[in-house]
Amino acid sequence: MTETQSCTPASKKCVSCESLDKSHLLSSEEVQAELTNMKTWKVKDGSKISRFYTARNFQRAMDSIVAIGNIAERENHHPDVHLTGYRNVEIILFTHSLGGISANDIALARMIDAEVEFDYSPKWLKSHPEAKKNDAQSLTIGTT
């Protein structure tokens, strides 16, 4: 895939945002279809996707943020990441240059789910069992 080609949501690599224009924004229906199998990701404010979780402790929250940052740097596609209450993490993805959700955001969400070792708070995980399943499935969903 060259930088001038568009990636699909099933892509395993982000493309340069400079090569994208508004035609690369996903419709709300396309976003919902992609998120069907990505249970920990939700639409936020109509133009972003987000994932919230509570880590076991501060160090585990920071470990996951660093891992997310490494993926973002590798892919040159950067999420907004928020740490509050010392272990509550929210990841917000959207293509900043377009002001909405593109295939890059879906691809990056899948990479985060597949590559980051999340160490959730046991209490949080008990009320969010989909998180454990989501992490293992994310790379295989949507690749057919």
Side-chain angles (χ1 to χ4, degrees):
M1 179 184 310
T2 67
E3 282 195 352
T4 57
Q5 291 176 315
S6 172
C7 71
T8 64
S11 295
K12 294 182 180 175
K13 184 100 176 114
C14 294
V15 298
S16 170
C17 289
E18 288 120 16
S19 67
L20 303 178
D21 60 32
K22 293 277 186 187
S23 70
H24 291 93
L25 289 173
L26 299 178
S27 70
S28 58
E29 293 80 16
E30 290 171 311
V31 172
Q32 287 300 332
E34 292 297 330
L35 296 184
T36 299
N37 293 313
M38 300 169 66
K39 303 294 185 194
T40 56
W41 292 90
K42 308 290 181 218
V43 174
K44 180 179 178 107
D45 301 332
S47 61
K48 302 170 185 172
I49 59 173
S50 71
R51 177 178 177 171
F52 175 86
Y53 59 94
T54 300
R56 183 177 299 271
N57 56 41
F58 177 77
Q59 185 60 56
R60 297 300 184 217
M62 291 304 299
D63 291 346
S64 65
I65 291 170
V66 168
I68 291 164
N70 289 336
I71 296 166
E73 279 297 295
R74 179 189 76 210
E75 298 301 320
N76 196 28
H77 191 63
H78 303 92
D80 293 345
V81 180
H82 304 272
L83 173 65
T84 57
Y86 79 89
R87 62 186 186 139
N88 299 310
V89 179
E90 184 179 24
I91 310 159
I92 302 171
L93 289 171
F94 68 105
T95 302
H96 294 81
S97 62
L98 300 179
I101 303 165
S102 73
N104 278 354
D105 303 303
I106 302 298
L108 187 59
R110 283 201 176 99
M111 290 177 221
I112 290 168
D113 286 351
E115 297 177 36
V116 175
E117 290 186 36
F118 294 97
D119 189 2
Y120 302 114
S121 155
K123 183 177 178 182
W124 182 87
L125 189 57
K126 204 176 239 185
S127 62
H128 298 88
E130 72 279 1
K132 208 56 170 164
K133 295 175 190 165
N134 190 62
D135 295 340
Q137 296 174 354
S138 60
L139 258 192
T140 58
I141 303 299
T143 58
T144 56

